[in-house]
Amino acid sequence: MRYAKAIFCVLLIMAVGGCGVKPTVFLHPDYNFRFLERVAVVPFENLSTDQGAGARITQVIITELFSSRAFDIVEPGETSRVLESYSIIRTSALTKEQIISIGKQLNVQGLILGTVTESSSQRSGSSTSNTVTIMARMIETETGSTIWSASHSVNGRGFWSSIFGTDSKSQSEVTRKCVKRVIGTLID
Amino acid sequence: MILSGIAMTSFAGEGSQRPSATIAVLPFANYSGNADAQQVGDSLILRFLNEQGWTVIPRDSLRQILRKHRIRAKNGISAEQVAVISAELSVDCLLIGSFDIYDDKEIPETAVSFRIIDCENQRLIAAASSAASGEDYAGLFGMGRITSIIDLNRKVITRAFADLNPTRIMSLKADPDILSAKRIAVVPFDNFSPDRNAGDIISSILISELIRAGWDVILPGDIFQLSRSQNRVTRGEIDLDLMRGLAEKLKADYVITGSVFDFASGTAGVDGSTPKIELNGRLIDSRTGRILSIAEIGSRGTDSELLFRSGTCYSLGKLAQKNIRNLRKKIAGERITNFADND
């Protein structure tokens, strides 16, 4: 009986441990987030080898933000049009003046920018392990200062799939999980 | 929905006096990547139309008109082009469509979508999408499984064209429900899946689904022409200039667009995998540019599995139709008369 309890405790700890780490978050202590009514999502920069990961994750973020009903989201096509007029190559390198100006043009209080640092699939034997890592931040368009930032990494190969060799999560499931967790730090 | 609600009338007894309705079949877009789809599909479609009682405009006559007016668009013809063809050929309806899937593997799979344009009003009035995998007919101990793509294609096209009789279609031309329906523009979906035509296939199925649900869907060729006049190719997103154009020039009330993330066939059979799809879509108010609703939809063929693989969906086209229907219900519901009430 004692052994059974010990095994159960070990499994429980491993299961909880397998849930992974929480996102790393920064929230501006003095900023009133209720001020945010409308935000725009700038296409995420892609530093991974997975072509299209930036655009794909941007779409998932927009869906997640809209579903939260926390604020209005600018139609991505309009965001792209305004960004095109600035001939910006790297969205992560926007200057403070550009951010303020873009904010005025899009009539938004916040811009969400970010980077996909990893979006990969690794095969090990008959199973595939998918990993997604993103860094996101929100910049307030009146002053150009960062009011929220979060980074997180999710691996589709969870505790149970590692132990029992069951199928791990697909790339899109991993992406959605990662985005949900990152956005959760802003909305909750 | 509208289609099913319309009372069927018959030409019986008067068929000999009335001239039959005329239809011109434009070359279908081939998204399947297999040239056989066009060859096999075209002859089957022509046969079904003749059997249904349509007078089909000879292909050579149509080809001459298309060449004369430099009309190249297949799945994306504009209202202006419809008017030109109609004036030249005095035709009642145009049939456009696409061969979405034509996979001649061990257990074949096909999918087709089509739409009928009323030449008088230059509007889409009827549509259907049909898809199947040979595995769908397996039945008990797999005895009914279809392994010939020709046989499967015949079944799929028969099903798609089942309700395409001229009486029904001609009655739709004056249907007040269609003439007063809200107008919606489908901006082609962006594609992040490995299948290079997934965005077009999903857009095509969505257009069919919206027409079936009673929306007045703007001709894709009109949207293409408008975006080309603004020197852009729009996919998956739309800016305010184009939105304004859609609202003012094409009288669109709403716009739908989105992205396809996953679109993959499965391999049928005992050890096979099943298809999977993942996409998102959003409904935008064309007058304000405001996103009204957004949804992410995804499923695998095994999601509907009950016991011992029964209920499993093996056809990517069928799974796509199911997901598109869910997407439409989530973001656009039935025909919207006043979206503000639903928002």
Side-chain angles (χ1 to χ4, degrees):
Chain A
M1 188 63 190
R2 214 170 54 196
Y3 286 122
K5 271 186 185 172
I7 290 168
F8 177 75
C9 286
V10 169
L11 280 174
L12 191 70
I13 291 164
M14 286 169 78
V16 172
C19 289
V21 289
K22 285 181 177 175
T24 310
V25 190
F26 161 77
L27 276 169
H28 198 293
D30 301 327
Y31 188 78
N32 181 4
F33 282 84
R34 290 183 183 196
F35 175 66
L36 290 168
E37 281 181 4
R38 194 172 139 93
V39 300
V41 181
V42 173
F44 273 40
E45 218 173 323
N46 184 19
L47 301 182
S48 76
T49 50
D50 177 8
Q51 216 180 2
R56 200 175 61 229
I57 285 171
T58 308
Q59 291 288 329
V60 180
I61 284 181
I62 290 168
T63 308
E64 204 56 45
L65 281 169
F66 190 88
S67 306
S68 72
R69 297 265 165 193
F71 21 67
D72 252 3
I73 309 292
V74 177
E75 162 57 28
E78 183 59 10
T79 310
S80 302
R81 187 189 65 83
V82 170
L83 289 171
E84 266 169 34
S85 65
Y86 288 87
S87 308
I88 293 160
I89 297 167
R90 291 191 61 213
T91 51
S92 61
L94 281 168
T95 65
K96 189 176 163 183
E97 288 71 29
Q98 284 173 331
I99 286 166
I100 293 169
S101 171
I102 290 168
K104 277 184 187 153
Q105 282 192 59
L106 291 173
N107 188 26
V108 292
Q109 290 84 44
L111 281 185
I112 293 181
L113 302 102
T115 311
V116 183
T117 51
E118 189 179 6
S119 174
S120 61
S121 297
Q122 279 187 323
R123 278 197 77 83
S124 163
S126 61
S127 62
T128 309
S129 170
N130 296 301
T131 309
V132 170
T133 307
I134 57 172
M135 292 194 279
R137 64 199 162 106
M138 188 191 279
I139 300 172
E140 197 243 336
T141 53
E142 205 170 295
T143 59
S145 55
T146 301
I147 53 172
W148 164 79
S149 82
S151 67
H152 191 46
S153 185
V154 170
N155 188 312
R157 197 146 181 80
F159 171 75
W160 296 112
S161 58
S162 303
I163 296 288
F164 298 108
T166 51
D167 208 10
S168 66
K169 287 190 167 64
S170 70
Q171 184 74 2
S172 48
E173 285 170 320
V174 172
T175 302
R176 216 177 313 129
K177 191 175 172 186
C178 189
V179 167
K180 248 185 207 309
R181 286 202 179 154
V182 166
I183 297 302
T185 65
L186 174 67
I187 306 300
D188 286 344
Chain B
M1 216 157 285
I2 279 179
L3 285 177
S4 58
I6 284 169
M8 296 282 288
T9 50
S10 173
F11 271 144
E14 54 182 359
S16 50
Q17 289 110 44
R18 283 180 68 169
S20 64
T22 51
I23 194 165
V25 184
L26 268 80
F28 275 31
N30 188 0
Y31 299 138
S32 71
N34 187 335
D36 291 348
Q38 198 100 41
Q39 219 171 351
V40 176
D42 279 355
S43 56
L44 274 172
I45 288 165
L46 288 177
R47 210 183 74 198
F48 278 111
L49 288 171
N50 284 316
E51 278 174 13
Q52 295 268 24
W54 288 93
T55 300
V56 183
I57 301 288
R59 185 145 284 178
D60 285 345
S61 313
L62 176 66
R63 205 174 289 142
Q64 276 178 13
I65 302 303
L66 295 179
R67 208 174 293 143
K68 181 180 163 191
H69 296 281
R70 295 182 177 187
I71 300 172
R72 287 192 191 137
K74 288 184 173 177
N75 209 8
I77 194 163
S78 69
E80 198 183 324
Q81 291 168 332
V82 172
V84 168
I85 297 171
S86 170
E88 290 265 10
L89 297 170
S90 305
V91 65
D92 295 311
C93 297
L94 291 185
L95 181 76
I96 57 170
S98 55
F99 300 108
D100 299 332
I101 298 168
Y102 191 88
D103 206 348
D104 192 5
K105 51 192 176 186
E106 192 183 342
I107 297 177
E109 188 182 346
T110 67
V112 62
S113 300
F114 74 81
R115 302 187 270 281
I116 290 187
I117 303 170
D118 166 20
C119 289
E120 195 183 335
N121 298 307
Q122 291 103 44
R123 281 178 177 217
L124 289 160
I125 53 169
S129 292
S130 180
S133 155
E135 194 67 27
D136 294 345
Y137 299 90
L140 198 63
F141 306 120
M143 288 166 74
R145 185 176 291 122
I146 296 176
T147 52
S148 154
I149 194 152
I150 306 287
D151 293 344
L152 184 69
N153 208 31
R154 194 176 300 124
K155 278 190 182 289
V156 166
I157 291 180
T158 308
R159 204 192 302 148
F161 282 74
D163 292 330
L164 197 65
N165 67 74
T167 317
R168 189 176 212 178
I169 299 300
M170 295 305 275
S171 70
L172 290 173
K173 282 165 73 101
D175 189 311
D177 272 355
I178 290 182
L179 297 171
S180 63
K182 288 277 182 188
R183 272 170 83 74
I184 194 162
V186 177
V187 169
F189 276 47
D190 207 352
N191 180 29
F192 299 107
S193 81
D195 185 321
R196 68 190 180 103
N197 291 318
D200 290 319
I201 296 171
I202 291 293
S203 307
S204 182
I205 298 173
L206 177 62
I207 290 172
S208 298
E209 175 58 26
L210 288 165
I211 296 168
R212 274 170 41 85
W215 288 83
D216 178 7
V217 182
I218 292 171
L219 287 166
D222 282 336
I223 300 168
F224 176 73
Q225 275 196 353
L226 184 69
S227 57
R228 203 175 54 175
S229 70
Q230 295 183 359
N231 295 322
R232 63 192 73 199
V233 179
T234 309
R235 264 188 184 275
E237 54 180 37
I238 180 165
D239 63 48
L240 279 183
D241 288 343
L242 186 58
M243 196 96 70
R244 237 169 263 139
L246 288 171
E248 287 163 14
K249 292 184 182 152
L250 301 180
K251 309 281 176 235
D253 297 298
Y254 303 100
V255 179
I256 285 189
T257 192
S259 307
V260 185
F261 302 118
D262 214 345
F263 190 82
S265 304
T267 49
V270 180
D271 302 320
S273 62
T274 55
K276 53 180 181 172
I277 282 177
E278 190 165 330
L279 57 117
N280 76 8
R282 57 188 182 279
L283 181 77
I284 308 159
D285 184 329
S286 62
R287 285 179 175 85
T288 60
R290 196 172 155 230
I291 300 173
L292 296 172
S293 55
I294 198 162
E296 209 167 284
I297 303 279
S299 67
R300 291 169 188 236
T302 44
D303 290 354
S304 51
E305 184 178 355
L306 299 169
L307 201 62
F308 303 122
R309 292 205 147 210
S310 70
T312 303
C313 179
Y314 294 98
S315 158
L316 177 62
K318 252 188 188 170
L319 194 67
Q321 284 172 20
K322 202 170 138 191
N323 279 277
I324 290 288
R325 185 156 300 174
N326 282 343
L327 179 75
R328 192 264 301 161
K329 283 181 181 167
K330 280 194 176 182
I331 65 171
E334 302 305 323
R335 267 187 309 167
I336 296 169
T337 45
N338 182 4
F339 200 87
D341 293 343
N342 302 349
D343 193 12

